[in-house]
Amino acid sequence: CSLIFSISSQAQGLPLADGKKYIIGDIKVTGTVSFNEQTVIAYTGLKKGEEIYIPGDKISSVINKLWDIDQFSDINFYITQVRDGNIADLEIEIQEVPKLNKVQVTGLKKREKEEIIKENKLRTGAKVSENLITTTRNYIENKYRKEGYFNASAKISTSEVTDTTANTNLVNMLVDIDQGDRVKIADINFSGNEKFSNWKLKRAMKNTKQKNFFRFWKRSKFVRADYQEDKENLIDKYKESGYRDARIVTDSLVEVDDKTIALNLKVEEGDQYYIGNIDYLGNSVYTDAQLQRALGINKGDVYNGVLLDERIADETKPDGEDLSNLYKNNGYLFSTINLVETNVYNDTIDFEIRIVEGKEAYFNNISVTGNDKTKDHVIYRELRTKPGQKYSQEDVVNTVRELGQLGFFDAEQLEPKFVDPDPQAGTLDLEYSVVEAGASQIELQGGYGGGGFIGTLGLSFNNFSLSGIFDKEAYKPVPMGDGQTLSLRAQASTFYQTYSLSFQEPWLGGKKPVSLQTSFSYTRQFLFDYINRQADRSRSFDILGINVGLAKRLTVPDPYMTVSHSVGFQRYNLNNYNTGLFTFGDGHSNNFTYTFGLTRDNTYVNPIFPMGGSKFKLTAKFTPPYSLWNGVDYANLAEQREYQLEDDNGNLIDQQGNRVTPENAVGDQRLIDQKKFNWLEFYKVKFSGEWFTQIYDKLVLRTNAEYGFLGAYNSDRGVPPFERFFLGGDGLGAFSLDGRETVQLRGYPNQSVVPLDRPAGVNDDGATIYNKYSLELRYPITLKPSASIYALTFLEAGASYDNFRDFNPFQVNRSAGAGLRIFMPAFGLLGIDFGYGFDPIGGQPGANGWETHFIIGQQF
Amino acid sequence: CGEYQSLLKSDDAGAKYTYAEDLYNQAQEENSKKKYRKALRLFEQIVPQYRGKPQGEKLSFLFANTYYQLGDYYLSSYEFERFQQSYPNSDKVEEAAYKKARSFYELSPRYDLDQTDTNKAIAELQAYLNTYPEGEHAEEANDMAAELRIKLEKKAYEIAKQYHLTGEARAGNYQAAITSFTNFLSNNPGSPFREDAHYYRFDSAYQLAVNSFRDLMEERLVEALEYSQEYKKYYPEGEYSEAVEASAEDIKSRLQNF
């Protein structure tokens, strides 16, 4: 029953003061209306025969509803007649807002006119309300004033379109703009200033400048808002030097002529003040002395109001080292610090710093919102703020930074929100709101190079979910959200194909940050005939590689250390493939290695441009020492029958092809090498160290030293031709078949720095030992996240050797030069270096001279 | 199909309306997504024109329901909401309320992603149940709301459990686990994860205590012991009773040293 009542009361509404109940009779719509009458009535929701109070809230809500659609400039309700005592005929009189027919702008160039029309949305059909006219006028006038047209004015008039055929309710608009002349500041005059020169004061005004012959490329126009701001800057300038009472007594603007104005400012400087006693009240966590040290402003210093405020709480730096952050980084979120002047005598001011420490704040609930792809566990493991932990502003700032570095979220939109801070209980909740960003890349390339068409297809998913690959629902378009990386790459040309796949899980097992990295690659290359520009598909060289590694961040001795282990296997398979690279054209070679790595990296803050810290890296790569147990006498392979040179009929021959007796038999180098390199046997140790030192401001010195050594367990078996070091040039990983390592040494051509005592022309083999030192001075031009650019100059020296007997760390090839690096997230690192090599290479008579190096996507 | 194509291009709203309604009815009978999709294209064109007209009410509902049938729950929730607001007196309003809530239910993602839509779904389902306690879909709505609440509980539970799991690797995570489980237990009475939460809270406290410096250990052992007693009180013969008992014994013997 009550339900029925409520419905009926809803229909007729509630009466206002002396509202009377009527039954609706006819409804009529009058006024200037382009709408269908029925549409308007249906929109009001009023129905014939409905009971209604007049006046009453139903009518009011109908009027509001009509207002809300912004189509009418006037709405009136009338009862036209009352029949049979309570049947009311209604009339709705509405006045539609006129629509814009044509707009005409005068006083501007065509392009500017169009801009005005576009920016104010003065399109045909727009509703011409008072509001539109006023905002348009203000917009235009402000626009030109900002550009220095101080006298700009806009007049807007409308005229009705008279159309005899229909009631159109259209208006034409005329916007008449008088830009006036651009007003420049001819003069800024100061009076009353004794302590500071006019020049100094003019300099303090950052955006209001006097016209000057030397400043023809900079603006000297007058913008009121800037001027107001600059007056404050002027006073701040005084305050910074202890003139606490400085003020601008009067300022006036004088029109010199149509185009120029002058500004007259009268200042009152007052006295220079000094800091007196600073007392701390209410501090129990920190002693006065500790606070005084943190404040860093002492008795007798010139009073600097701006600095004093900054030392107490710097609003512009959330991670600054000021007093309030001292408290906030240690749990006292609810602390407040007030600076009070207690006594002013002569030119000295005494202060009290009043501290209300409040209760220590603890995080209660930490939540993350907005992660519609990345799963909770991937995010929560990165959070430094934890439930039950003491509040620390530093942790919040660091968490935001680290979440941004994951690359899964838009770093610009990451924001921590404090929810229900409760000073009584000393708790607060924290919510990180994240916005997912695209974490996948696709690379599709086609090009002509190296004698044929090269096509590349690369896919990389940086927030992959391996567990989702069997879940049909998860394909949107690929399973995402476990923070794993999967990349696939295929490259093919007429003479080679490369396929690679790699997968990385940063938290294997979810318990500890142990990362698992696996990769698989396969390369097949056909012998390319450069004369006929054709690949010979019957002669090929295949490399198959598999690598599995684990890396773990250590906590002891410090959290910057990472230990890694990896196991790799490569198989090289040659099929009638004779090049200078190998002595045997048919056969295979296997490379099974274990690599141990230890790195320590405490560089900070920006990984692209570290300002300090150091980076050390030690890696050791081993193969099993097969020759220890396989019983092969590698020294005397040539004396064994099966490795001796023979002709097609199995008869022993010498190099010239003459038949020889077994006593005079010679070894077949191809067979010997095949045996020697069947399973590669070597060990390789590399060390590199980098130090970053801040010299002055943002000028950073990078000092780098590195060494590498490749050795054999069994000297008879020897060091394999694989895995060697090639020194010189840009150091970019060239397309390498043999596991070679290219080492950067600018000022010399790529891979040109060979051991000194090598006969000229033997450059194919890399060296087994190298060392390299470099000093690099870097200065950033910009470090914005969108693009980081820095310039550098360098001194480098390095050399490679064939064995330890020749090793001389001071007999090196030296170079010097300068360059530029640009890092953009979309492109990676791009750079150019010009280097001058002071020493000769490869039998040249003099210094190597200038070399230009292009650096693309190399590590920074 | 020629008629359909020419209708799409024509300006005849009335003809479109009739044809679209026809398609909609056929789609409903045959359960054909293809026909729903065709109807939708017509609806999209004519809905704005009929807004405020007598046919608008029915059309709005059909439009919203087409999105719903096609599984485009993001738009169906929005259109049902609009329908509810525009036609609060319609006799379809209960169905619209239910389907709006149901749309959010369908949008609700797996537990370890952002649960904004889940919270909305629960609020909408609750609103439906409050308005129509005897409604046609009340039982389903109840079941869905219960399912979603369990999803939220699972989320909170799993987050707390991750702190427990990573306690060894990350300093402070055992403490975080204790706080999170305590919050979980007080916020979610009657959750199916309560026993596990009790156990893991105890285990976190136990692990934290035994890995502490000596001067912190006693206090933490006592705290852990309290949690073990709480577990035993609620689950005298629980799944983890043996493990709890064994750890509690260890705590007691360690406490002898203080």
Side-chain angles (χ1 to χ4, degrees):
Chain A
C1 173
S2 68
L3 200 71
I4 293 161
F5 171 76
S6 81
I7 285 170
S8 68
S9 85
Q10 224 176 18
Q12 67 198 25
L14 296 165
L16 290 179
D18 51 355
K20 237 182 103 186
K21 200 197 271 184
Y22 292 96
I23 290 170
I24 299 177
D26 291 330
I27 307 174
K28 236 170 69 184
V29 180
T30 59
T32 46
V33 186
S34 59
F35 291 106
N36 183 319
E37 185 170 354
Q38 279 307 314
T39 308
V40 177
I41 295 169
Y43 190 78
T44 62
L46 297 174
K47 287 194 193 99
K48 193 172 175 179
E50 196 180 346
E51 284 191 339
I52 191 170
Y53 281 102
I54 299 176
D57 73 335
K58 181 86 193 227
I59 293 286
S60 311
S61 77
V62 166
I63 293 174
N64 282 337
K65 206 169 160 188
L66 288 172
W67 272 123
D68 280 348
I69 53 174
D70 244 359
Q71 302 271 7
F72 309 112
S73 60
D74 199 11
I75 301 164
N76 288 306
F77 264 78
Y78 300 109
I79 299 177
T80 43
Q81 67 166 339
V82 179
R83 293 175 280 147
D84 307 336
N86 67 344
I87 298 176
D89 289 346
L90 297 178
E91 181 186 330
I92 308 171
E93 190 203 1
I94 50 183
Q95 195 68 42
E96 228 175 294
V97 174
K99 285 184 185 161
L100 186 61
N101 180 39
K102 251 170 71 182
V103 64
Q104 202 186 350
V105 182
T106 58
L108 288 179
K109 284 186 199 132
K110 192 177 172 222
R111 216 174 57 81
E112 287 178 311
K113 277 182 198 174
E114 279 165 6
E115 204 176 302
I116 293 280
I117 291 173
K118 212 173 137 195
E119 283 174 4
N120 288 289
K121 302 198 171 93
L122 302 177
R123 285 177 303 239
T124 301
K127 300 273 177 302
V128 184
S129 57
E130 272 306 308
N131 182 34
L132 180 80
I133 292 171
T134 320
T135 50
T136 305
R137 182 168 54 232
N138 289 344
Y139 173 85
I140 295 169
E141 288 180 0
N142 282 335
K143 180 184 157 96
Y144 286 104
R145 278 187 195 156
K146 251 187 215 159
E147 290 175 13
Y149 295 96
F150 185 61
N151 299 317
S153 76
K155 290 193 189 77
I156 298 177
S157 53
T158 57
S159 59
E160 244 174 84
V161 178
T162 41
D163 188 338
T164 45
T165 53
N167 182 8
T168 53
N169 195 24
L170 292 174
V171 290
N172 286 332
M173 189 189 251
L174 177 70
V175 183
D176 182 22
I177 299 172
D178 181 7
Q179 240 177 296
D181 284 316
R182 201 188 278 257
V183 175
K184 293 204 170 190
I185 303 166
D187 242 324
I188 304 178
N189 302 312
F190 294 101
S191 56
N193 56 319
E194 288 170 5
K195 304 291 192 294
F196 285 175
S197 66
N198 288 350
W199 181 76
K200 220 171 188 177
L201 294 180
K202 278 177 194 167
R203 239 171 54 128
M205 300 180 71
K206 301 224 162 48
N207 290 317
T208 308
K209 297 288 187 188
Q210 177 177 320
K211 217 167 85 180
N212 191 319
F213 172 73
F214 299 106
R215 286 177 39 82
F216 55 87
W217 66 89
K218 284 204 178 138
R219 61 185 208 161
S220 58
K221 58 201 176 196
F222 180 77
V223 179
R224 194 168 288 276
D226 287 346
Y227 176 56
Q228 294 301 344
E229 206 175 286
D230 278 339
K231 283 201 286 187
E232 277 168 35
N233 288 338
L234 192 70
I235 296 304
D236 278 348
K237 177 86 189 160
Y238 272 108
K239 281 190 177 162
E240 280 170 20
S241 300
Y243 297 94
R244 190 185 63 134
D245 300 335
R247 63 193 183 105
I248 294 171
V249 190
T250 56
D251 67 307
S252 55
L253 185 156
V254 186
E255 286 186 29
V256 180
D257 53 41
D258 275 356
K259 293 185 176 181
T260 52
I261 55 162
L263 298 171
N264 297 324
L265 291 111
K266 187 175 178 198
V267 296
E268 192 180 279
E269 292 177 326
D271 292 327
Q272 193 172 22
Y273 286 85
Y274 295 89
I275 306 263
N277 294 318
I278 302 178
D279 291 323
Y280 296 91
L281 289 184
N283 51 321
S284 65
V285 186
Y286 296 104
T287 63
D288 287 4
Q290 282 172 320
L291 292 174
Q292 182 61 39
R293 239 192 334 271
L295 186 70
I297 294 174
N298 297 309
K299 187 173 178 178
D301 288 357
V302 169
Y303 169 82
N304 180 344
V306 180
L307 182 68
L308 198 56
D309 286 342
E310 266 177 24
R311 295 304 309 148
I312 285 174
D314 191 347
E315 304 293 341
T316 59
K317 281 193 215 149
D319 50 354
E321 288 181 0
D322 47 49
L323 273 195
S324 72
N325 276 355
L326 181 69
Y327 273 98
K328 287 190 176 154
N329 287 341
N330 289 288
Y332 291 90
L333 171 68
F334 304 117
S335 63
T336 52
I337 302 178
N338 284 310
L339 180 73
V340 183
E341 291 181 9
T342 47
N343 197 3
V344 184
Y345 47 96
N346 302 328
D347 59 353
T348 307
I349 309 172
D350 286 351
F351 291 97
E352 248 175 42
I353 293 181
R354 294 182 185 164
I355 300 166
V356 182
E357 291 179 337
K359 228 177 159 167
E360 266 184 293
Y362 286 85
F363 291 118
N364 189 28
N365 197 14
I366 309 281
S367 56
V368 176
T369 59
N371 55 322
D372 37 27
K373 284 193 197 123
T374 310
K375 291 176 189 165
D376 283 345
H377 71 101
V378 176
I379 306 169
Y380 278 82
R381 67 193 183 197
E382 303 294 337
L383 302 182
R384 284 167 177 249
T385 53
K386 289 160 193 173
Q389 198 182 51
K390 211 194 273 182
Y391 171 83
S392 157
Q393 184 151 316
E394 206 177 350
D395 283 345
V396 178
V397 173
N398 284 337
T399 301
V400 169
R401 185 171 51 81
E402 282 167 15
L403 283 180
Q405 282 170 353
L406 282 180
F408 306 153
F409 310 114
D410 183 349
E412 304 288 315
Q413 294 187 60
L414 275 169
E415 63 179 315
K417 270 183 273 183
F418 293 144
V419 188
D420 320 320
D422 182 348
Q424 254 66 47
T427 59
L428 76 155
D429 290 353
L430 184 57
E431 181 184 306
Y432 291 100
S433 103
V434 300
V435 178
E436 300 269 2
S440 303
Q441 272 130 29
I442 182 161
E443 177 195 6
L444 194 57
Q445 274 180 8
Y448 195 80
F453 179 80
I454 302 175
T456 309
L457 172 69
L459 287 169
S460 119
F461 308 108
N462 287 335
N463 192 0
F464 190 70
S465 168
L466 193 64
S467 64
I469 58 167
F470 297 116
D471 181 3
K472 243 181 15 195
E473 301 276 299
Y475 282 85
K476 301 171 188 168
V478 285
M480 302 266 286
D482 272 334
Q484 298 156 341
T485 308
L486 178 77
S487 34
L488 300 160
R489 206 178 146 85
Q491 192 168 46
S493 80
T494 46
F495 70 102
Y496 76 86
Q497 295 149 18
T498 312
Y499 306 95
S500 65
L501 181 150
S502 75
F503 172 77
Q504 188 186 348
E505 157 67 67
W507 277 65
L508 187 64
K511 277 183 86 165
K512 287 176 182 164
V514 173
S515 83
L516 168 79
Q517 308 188 6
T518 58
S519 66
F520 170 84
S521 71
Y522 175 71
T523 304
R524 186 182 184 95
Q525 164 152 356
F526 300 106
L527 195 70
F528 192 71
D529 180 350
Y530 282 91
I531 298 156
N532 298 323
R533 311 187 72 72
Q534 259 181 347
D536 183 351
R537 295 195 165 257
S538 63
R539 307 170 75 183
S540 63
F541 178 31
D542 297 351
I543 308 172
L544 174 80
I546 299 168
N547 213 61
V548 179
L550 284 177
K552 191 186 168 202
R553 237 308 81 161
L554 297 182
T555 47
V556 183
D558 67 26
Y560 307 115
M561 297 267 255
T562 309
V563 157
S564 66
H565 307 269
S566 74
V567 174
F569 174 72
Q570 275 95 38
R571 183 179 170 85
Y572 305 89
N573 213 341
L574 290 100
N575 174 23
N576 193 16
Y577 193 88
N578 286 300
T579 61
L581 217 51
F582 303 98
T583 49
F584 50 94
D586 261 308
H588 57 264
S589 186
N590 300 300
N591 187 3
F592 178 78
T593 52
Y594 159 75
T595 309
F596 171 80
L598 187 65
T599 47
R600 183 177 187 280
D601 181 355
N602 69 340
T603 55
Y604 55 89
V605 169
N606 181 345
I608 294 146
F609 192 84
M611 300 286 285
S614 59
K615 209 187 273 184
F616 296 98
K617 192 172 179 186
L618 177 75
T619 56
K621 193 171 182 180
F622 306 96
T623 62
Y626 306 103
S627 58
L628 267 186
W629 61 73
N630 67 2
V632 177
D633 181 6
Y634 287 100
N636 298 314
L637 283 178
E639 279 151 36
Q640 292 168 38
R641 176 68 180 85
E642 52 183 308
Y643 303 110
Q644 286 171 344
L645 204 59
E646 53 184 32
D647 66 10
D648 295 340
N649 303 323
N651 303 315
L652 291 171
I653 52 170
D654 66 6
Q655 309 287 11
Q656 284 73 40
N658 305 319
R659 289 189 61 171
V660 290
T661 54
E663 295 83 60
N664 297 326
V666 292
D668 184 338
Q669 199 57 41
R670 291 182 312 148
L671 292 177
I672 293 171
D673 282 355
Q674 165 68 72
K675 182 67 186 168
K676 273 188 178 173
F677 307 132
N678 182 12
W679 285 87
L680 295 183
E681 191 178 304
F682 66 92
Y683 63 93
K684 181 153 88 173
V685 182
K686 286 188 295 173
F687 170 80
S688 72
E690 272 181 285
W691 293 261
F692 295 91
T693 327
Q694 200 171 343
I695 308 243
Y696 175 76
D697 190 28
K698 283 179 176 164
L699 185 67
V700 172
L701 176 70
R702 172 181 175 267
T703 314
N704 163 248
E706 48 188 279
Y707 303 90
F709 174 65
L710 178 69
Y713 303 115
N714 182 332
S715 58
D716 294 334
R717 199 171 183 184
V719 182
F722 296 82
E723 301 272 346
R724 296 200 170 201
F725 303 110
F726 289 80
L727 202 58
D730 51 29
L732 298 184
F735 178 66
S736 78
L737 300 171
D738 50 3
R740 65 175 59 188
E741 303 208 22
T742 53
V743 180
Q744 185 184 57
L745 184 64
R746 292 166 283 190
Y748 297 95
N750 284 355
Q751 310 187 3
S752 66
V753 182
V754 293
L756 266 183
D757 45 2
R758 284 234 183 123
V762 182
N763 297 348
D764 287 352
D765 276 358
T768 55
I769 305 173
Y770 86 96
N771 62 354
K772 185 199 150 186
Y773 314 95
S774 87
L775 287 173
E776 190 172 290
L777 268 178
R778 300 171 161 188
Y779 192 80
I781 295 162
T782 167
L783 290 178
K784 293 207 183 88
S786 54
S788 306
I789 305 174
Y790 64 86
L792 59 93
T793 73
F794 63 86
L795 289 173
E796 278 183 340
S800 62
Y801 314 91
D802 276 331
N803 52 55
F804 261 120
R805 267 197 321 279
D806 303 330
F807 182 72
N808 177 353
F810 302 106
Q811 191 187 58
V812 287
N813 288 46
R814 296 153 301 168
S815 66
L820 194 71
R821 295 283 182 282
I822 301 174
F823 179 86
M824 280 180 282
F827 298 103
L829 187 84
L830 301 172
I832 184 165
D833 280 337
F834 303 98
Y836 184 87
F838 296 106
D839 293 296
I841 47 157
Q844 282 174 359
N848 181 56
W850 287 102
E851 295 283 341
T852 307
H853 307 286
F854 294 98
I855 282 118
I856 302 161
Q858 202 206 16
Q859 67 198 33
F860 15 82
Chain B
C1 214
E3 191 191 350
Y4 176 71
Q5 287 303 335
S6 57
L7 256 182
L8 275 177
K9 286 179 203 125
S10 89
D11 290 330
D12 187 348
K16 284 182 184 178
Y17 181 94
T18 331
Y19 197 86
E21 198 184 359
D22 239 29
L23 271 172
Y24 175 89
N25 288 336
Q26 286 173 29
Q28 216 167 17
E29 268 169 40
E30 301 163 20
N31 197 13
S32 150
K33 289 221 164 175
K34 197 176 155 197
K35 289 204 166 151
Y36 273 124
R37 239 172 258 129
K38 281 169 87 175
L40 185 68
R41 284 184 67 187
L42 289 171
F43 283 144
E44 277 166 351
Q45 291 182 353
I46 56 175
V47 159
Q49 295 175 38
Y50 276 102
R51 202 147 271 154
K53 297 206 171 115
Q55 299 96 317
E57 178 179 331
K58 184 168 186 195
L59 192 58
S60 296
F61 185 84
L62 297 187
F63 185 46
N65 202 34
T66 308
Y67 277 128
Y68 180 81
Q69 297 295 346
L70 284 171
D72 195 341
Y73 297 113
Y74 187 75
L75 286 167
S76 70
S77 68
Y78 174 72
E79 290 299 337
F80 277 124
E81 165 92 41
R82 265 182 92 160
F83 176 81
Q84 256 187 319
Q85 276 172 1
S86 309
Y87 309 101
N89 300 326
S90 166
D91 46 355
K92 285 283 193 188
V93 78
E94 179 189 335
E95 196 178 338
Y98 169 73
K99 286 189 167 167
K100 179 175 74 170
R102 175 80 191 241
S103 297
F104 282 115
Y105 167 82
E106 299 285 353
L107 284 173
S108 163
R110 50 179 292 161
Y111 75 92
D112 51 7
L113 298 175
D114 180 39
Q115 297 298 313
T116 309
D117 286 326
T118 310
N119 287 319
K120 255 188 226 156
I122 292 175
E124 293 295 343
L125 288 165
Q126 199 54 57
Y128 172 82
L129 287 167
N130 291 348
T131 325
Y132 311 100
E134 307 289 326
E136 202 183 325
H137 305 284
E139 203 174 317
E140 281 163 85
N142 249 324
D143 290 348
M144 286 192 282
E147 186 191 325
L148 293 179
R149 281 193 193 101
I150 289 177
K151 187 188 276 190
L152 290 181
E153 285 164 9
K154 184 172 168 70
K155 183 184 182 74
Y157 168 73
E158 290 291 343
I159 288 169
K161 200 171 160 201
Q162 193 195 3
Y163 285 124
H164 173 265
L165 183 69
T166 53
E168 215 179 307
R170 288 274 196 265
N173 277 10
Y174 281 129
Q175 184 58 56
I178 298 170
T179 310
S180 302
F181 280 123
T182 305
N183 284 344
F184 176 84
L185 289 168
S186 69
N187 295 340
N188 301 291
S191 161
F193 304 104
R194 277 185 81 82
E195 182 179 351
D196 293 67
H198 269 293
Y199 170 68
Y200 283 111
R201 176 171 68 166
F202 160 67
D203 196 49
S204 301
Y206 172 61
Q207 298 294 345
L208 178 68
V210 298
N211 290 306
S212 296
F213 291 113
R214 199 181 151 79
D215 54 340
L216 287 168
M217 198 185 275
E218 185 181 5
E219 188 190 331
R220 288 181 176 172
L221 285 171
V222 171
E223 189 188 341
L225 200 60
E226 277 167 21
Y227 291 140
S228 78
Q229 278 147 5
E230 203 153 329
Y231 177 85
K232 281 189 253 175
K233 187 174 97 192
Y234 290 113
Y235 307 99
E237 280 171 37
E239 198 187 332
Y240 302 102
S241 285
E242 274 176 41
V244 171
E245 197 50 54
S247 303
E249 286 308 317
D250 181 47
I251 292 171
K252 281 175 197 155
S253 71
R254 280 169 190 265
L255 277 172
Q256 312 260 304
N257 300 333
F258 291 93

